Amino acid sequence: MIDSRIKFRHLQTFLEVARQKSVMKAAAILHISQPAVTKTIREMESELGVAVFERDGRGIRITRYGEVFLRHAGAAITALRQGIDSVSNERSGEGVHIRIGALPTVSTRVMPHAISLFLQEETQSRIKIVTGENAVLLEQLRLGDLDLVVGRLAAPEKMTGFSFEHLYSEQVVFAVSASHPLLNSQEDIFSLLAEFPVLMPTKASIIRPFVDRFLIANGVATPPIQIETVSDAFGRAFVRSSNAVWIISSGVVADDVDDGSLALLPIDTSETRGPVGLTMRADITPSLPLMILMQTIREAAIEASTT
């Protein structure tokens, strides 16, 4: 039987090693020595009776038992943080801290309006919004660093321990500058793609498999001039100032297309359509302010999907 010898430091160290996939990096972040990290992990493994990490070449990887424990350790840390935050907020009079991960597809079209609606509720909550690749945001959600991720539904194997609420569906588009030569071309667009730089989602992004399959189905294995990016700011600026083709979720460029600064190539991409929604940890009950924010996101999503 596991006793009370598993302490907060064991959970914290375990979660950081799992996050960094490196004892050295975890030690640097925790401001302790590598031997101290190794000792803490071994103490925890001794109490559990199983190994939670194993060597993988020059690095380490989490074991099957470690994956199981990770879900519960993350929940424990999250609950403890919520308790500490609640006491701190009660003493200081501040509202609840809400941490949201937003994929680029919702960062420009949904979240600004959702936050505006939320602020009208005057919950006094402190909001933090981060963006990035889906894999990174889901890992932060799993470890308790985020309360909610808003974006595309991840692959089934990535959704273990999570719940998903569907809001709307969207597809990938091929965005270009308003004066791009392909807009008036009479030739097959896919046969001409090789002549232009193509901005692609990174391999870790959630829409990359959809894009790869779609290109292969249309006779394009790999665009020869390819730039991978998850930065919508770079993509927007680069496409406006060049003849590049940007393959991106429609929500990222919807406003740009509406104001005429960007245009969409006449390509039927309906087979890349996928669900967008709210992803949460299945073992966490949201606070009242978070539930209010989720409702404002729903309202903003409805508006975005009908305009």
Side-chain angles (χ1 to χ4, degrees):
M1 179 178 292
I2 298 171
D3 61 25
S4 60
R5 283 179 291 181
I6 289 188
K7 308 292 185 182
F8 175 77
R9 64 181 176 86
H10 292 111
L11 299 180
Q12 185 180 38
T13 302
F14 167 70
L15 290 174
E16 199 57 56
V17 174
R19 189 204 318 268
Q20 302 299 330
K21 298 178 177 60
S22 165
V23 169
M24 181 177 67
K25 292 179 181 178
I29 290 174
L30 294 171
H31 303 292
I32 58 178
S33 67
Q34 293 182 48
V37 170
T38 301
K39 179 183 177 183
T40 301
I41 294 298
R42 286 177 178 170
E43 288 175 354
M44 195 185 77
E45 289 179 330
S46 177
E47 290 300 313
L48 290 172
V50 294
V52 293
F53 296 108
E54 61 187 5
R55 292 197 174 278
D56 183 24
R58 294 184 177 180
I60 60 173
R61 66 181 176 187
I62 194 166
T63 66
R64 178 167 59 90
Y65 296 110
E67 289 281 4
V68 172
F69 188 67
L70 177 61
R71 295 197 293 270
H72 299 285
I77 291 292
T78 298
L80 183 58
R81 284 175 176 168
Q82 289 178 339
I84 294 172
D85 286 346
S86 296
V87 173
S88 176
N89 295 337
E90 185 69 23
R91 292 183 62 189
S92 64
E94 295 180 349
V96 174
H97 291 228
I98 301 176
R99 301 156 301 174
I100 306 297
L103 270 67
T105 185
V106 298
S107 293
T108 55
R109 195 91 195 252
V110 175
M111 291 307 295
H113 184 42
I115 295 301
S116 294
L117 292 175
F118 179 72
L119 292 177
Q120 294 175 19
E121 299 295 328
E122 298 183 349
T123 67
Q124 308 304 314
S125 300
R126 300 179 64 180
I127 305 170
K128 177 181 179 181
I129 299 176
V130 298
T131 190
E133 293 178 340
N134 186 65
V136 174
L137 296 182
L138 287 183
E139 184 68 8
Q140 292 177 342
L141 180 62
R142 189 181 303 280
L143 295 175
D145 293 334
L146 293 175
D147 301 306
L148 176 72
V149 171
V150 190
R152 271 220 183 197
L153 173 64
E157 64 271 15
K158 302 293 185 181
M159 290 298 293
T160 303
F162 295 133
S163 64
F164 180 81
E165 178 185 337
H166 178 258
L167 297 178
Y168 63 95
S169 296
E170 71 171 8
Q171 60 202 56
V172 169
V173 295
F174 287 61
V176 295
S177 66
S179 59
H180 199 285
L182 284 179
L183 290 170
N184 298 314
S185 175
Q186 301 301 312
E187 299 182 52
D188 176 59
I189 291 177
F190 292 103
S191 66
L192 300 176
L193 271 185
E195 300 176 15
F196 304 95
V198 177
L199 299 188
M200 293 275 288
T202 62
K203 287 182 171 59
S205 69
I206 198 166
I207 62 171
R208 180 60 180 263
F210 295 90
V211 172
D212 286 341
R213 287 195 295 268
F214 184 77
L215 289 176
I216 291 172
N218 285 279
V220 181
T222 303
I225 311 174
Q226 182 181 137
I227 303 169
E228 292 189 359
T229 182
V230 293
S231 170
D232 54 318
F234 168 76
R236 187 170 288 107
F238 187 67
V239 169
R240 285 177 175 177
S241 61
S242 70
N243 279 335
V245 177
W246 190 10
I247 305 178
I248 190 67
S249 294
S250 59
V252 176
V253 295
D255 290 342
D256 305 276
V257 173
D258 288 344
D259 66 24
S261 57
L262 295 181
L264 302 182
L265 293 179
I267 299 173
D268 180 8
T269 59
S270 56
E271 65 187 78
T272 67
R273 196 168 183 82
V276 175
L278 309 175
T279 300
M280 290 186 60
R281 288 177 50 151
D283 57 354
I284 296 296
T285 300
S287 64
L288 178 58
L290 179 56
M291 288 192 286
I292 294 173
L293 177 57
M294 292 169 65
Q295 180 58 33
T296 65
I297 293 173
R298 294 183 188 103
E299 294 173 12
I302 291 173
E303 183 173 324
S305 63
T306 55
T307 57

